[in-house]
Amino acid sequence: MSGDNRNRYASAGVSIERGNRWVDAIRPLAAKTDRNGVVAGIGGFGGVFRPEWEKYRDPVLVSGTDGVGTKLKVAQWAGIYEGLGIDLVAMCANDIAVMGAEPLFFLDYYASGRLDPEVGKRIFSGIAEGCRQAGAALLGGETAEMPGVYQDADFDLAGFVVGIADREKIVDGRKIGLGHRLYGLPSTGIHSNGFSLVRKVLIEERGISPGYRPEWSPGEDWAHILTRPTRIYVPLILEMIARVEVSAMVHVTGGGLTENVPRVLPEGFSARINPRAWEKPPVFQEIQKAGKVTTREMFQVFNMGIGLVVVVPSEAGKALEGFLSEKGETFYFLGEVIPGGREVVYDRSF
């Protein structure tokens, strides 16, 4: 083969050598997430995991997949990438944890026009940290260099999680009844939804700069406010359901309280929520003001400061409050379950 033809794949924009270096950099990060059950992880054609089946009467696997949406573009604007990996794990692991499942392992998919080792290492360090927080092994994944599909440094992320639960202990809302109480736990900020609107009204229209510190946040600039990672509620959830009778839980993602709470409500029930039960973080007030967004739409797009909703029978309310206080958690009583057509009824007009 002539020298002119030896590196045709590289001339097309894909470097096998760069990809190999990438995997070598990820391997030690993944090793830090090892847990009981890992048989074989990154490097083979597939990850191998053996759950501790004997711990369960009727074990079922629970899976989830998600991404971080256009928060990717905000991370590029801010030059802060570590939180994206935590976001990715959180979006997947929180979703299965609210069903009562313990995350076992996590897989990622990363695709870019051209792999940037420095950016990649920062993202994957976040994924490893997210897996550590969620108690899941980073078992494998796929890294793809796709020039022509993605432009230069543009990239996308997706995550996949598998967890386990006892079938009879799945938390799915079927035990919800009249008078059950709804409690909210704070988010760490915007989390990972609504960033198309954030980019439009704050970055494109208002023109905020990454390094500017708004007067209501003297400790953080806009770059860090907007890239603050999603909270991983998994350890708290798993301990909570072992100690308190929980009817349902809601991970508040795209659609906010308005769209997510009805997902756990049985037929014939609605949730009455007091939208003034908690103080909304200033970042949401900034978005609403900058974009002239109605309050109703804000509650349909963002978590508005509530990242997790817990529904319990009225008689379990004190037990939940005691548990959360013991754990040092801030929480809010949001409202209760009422007769209705599987919707959120805000008890005060917007």
Side-chain angles (χ1 to χ4, degrees):
M1 180 180 293
S2 69
D4 290 338
N5 293 329
R6 190 172 301 151
N7 295 308
R8 295 292 290 165
Y9 203 21
S11 71
V14 181
S15 170
I16 293 175
E17 181 183 356
R18 188 161 55 239
N20 289 337
R21 290 201 308 269
W22 186 280
V23 173
D24 289 340
I26 295 171
R27 202 185 306 273
L29 295 174
K32 294 180 181 179
T33 71
D34 275 355
R35 55 158 291 166
N36 290 341
V38 175
V39 178
I42 286 178
F45 287 102
V48 182
F49 192 98
R50 185 196 180 280
E52 298 178 88
W53 304 111
E54 59 276 6
K55 290 174 58 177
Y56 303 88
R57 288 186 56 189
D58 185 10
V60 292
L61 298 179
V62 184
S63 63
T65 182
D66 213 331
V68 295
T70 55
K71 192 173 184 179
L72 297 168
K73 302 300 291 185
V74 175
Q76 289 179 315
W77 166 82
I80 300 174
Y81 296 95
E82 290 80 357
L84 287 179
I86 297 175
D87 285 317
L88 187 66
V89 177
M91 294 299 288
C92 298
N94 285 341
D95 274 0
I96 69 166
V98 296
M99 296 184 66
E102 174 193 355
L104 297 176
F105 58 86
F106 184 84
L107 307 172
D108 67 84
Y109 175 80
Y110 179 100
S112 177
R114 188 181 192 280
L115 298 178
D116 183 328
E118 178 57 31
V119 170
K121 184 176 181 180
R122 293 162 69 183
I123 292 172
F124 279 93
S125 68
I127 292 175
E129 172 59 20
C131 286
R132 187 195 66 78
Q133 291 183 27
L138 179 53
L139 198 62
E142 166 69 0
T143 300
E145 200 165 39
M146 301 169 64
V149 176
Y150 299 95
Q151 297 299 313
D152 299 324
D154 284 347
F155 63 92
D156 198 9
L157 280 172
F160 314 86
V161 69
V162 173
I164 191 169
D166 250 321
R167 185 173 182 175
E168 64 182 21
K169 295 181 180 179
I170 288 288
V171 182
D172 57 7
R174 60 189 162 182
K175 296 181 180 180
I176 285 178
L178 290 179
H180 282 214
R181 298 165 66 89
L182 283 77
Y183 291 85
L185 275 71
S187 65
T188 50
I190 303 175
H191 283 183
S192 301
N193 297 101
F195 277 92
S196 293
L197 183 55
V198 170
R199 288 172 57 230
K200 180 175 178 59
V201 303
L202 291 183
I203 298 176
E204 296 176 13
E205 296 179 355
R206 178 174 283 191
I208 63 170
S209 61
Y212 180 75
R213 295 183 180 183
E215 60 182 21
W216 46 265
S217 180
E220 273 188 314
D221 57 25
W222 273 117
H224 288 85
I225 292 168
L226 296 185
T227 60
R228 195 181 297 156
T230 306
R231 179 178 175 184
I232 294 176
Y233 297 97
V234 174
L236 179 71
I237 287 173
L238 295 180
E239 185 175 353
M240 178 172 61
I241 61 178
R243 294 176 53 183
V244 179
E245 182 184 357
V246 175
S247 307
M249 292 173 285
V250 178
H251 181 208
V252 186
T253 54
L257 291 167
T258 303
E259 303 295 333
N260 282 286
V261 171
R263 295 168 66 177
V264 301
L265 295 173
E267 291 292 337
F269 298 101
S270 288
R272 184 173 63 206
I273 290 177
N274 176 8
R276 293 175 176 80
W278 71 100
E279 185 175 351
K280 314 304 177 290
V283 66
F284 296 112
Q285 299 172 34
E286 287 279 355
I287 295 167
Q288 183 170 13
K289 181 180 177 181
K292 297 182 173 62
V293 185
T294 66
T295 301
R296 185 171 299 277
E297 184 176 10
M298 289 294 295
F299 273 78
Q300 289 178 321
V301 175
F302 299 105
N303 65 60
M304 298 303 287
I306 300 295
L308 179 72
V309 175
V310 183
V311 186
V312 297
S314 58
E315 62 271 19
K318 292 298 183 184
L320 177 64
E321 292 177 15
F323 168 77
L324 294 174
S325 297
E326 175 191 318
K327 304 303 292 185
E329 293 286 341
T330 298
F331 61 90
Y332 309 96
F333 172 61
L334 302 181
E336 62 183 5
V337 175
I338 61 174
R342 299 186 69 202
E343 62 181 345
V344 171
V345 178
Y346 294 103
D347 67 359
R348 297 190 186 183
S349 172
F350 287 129

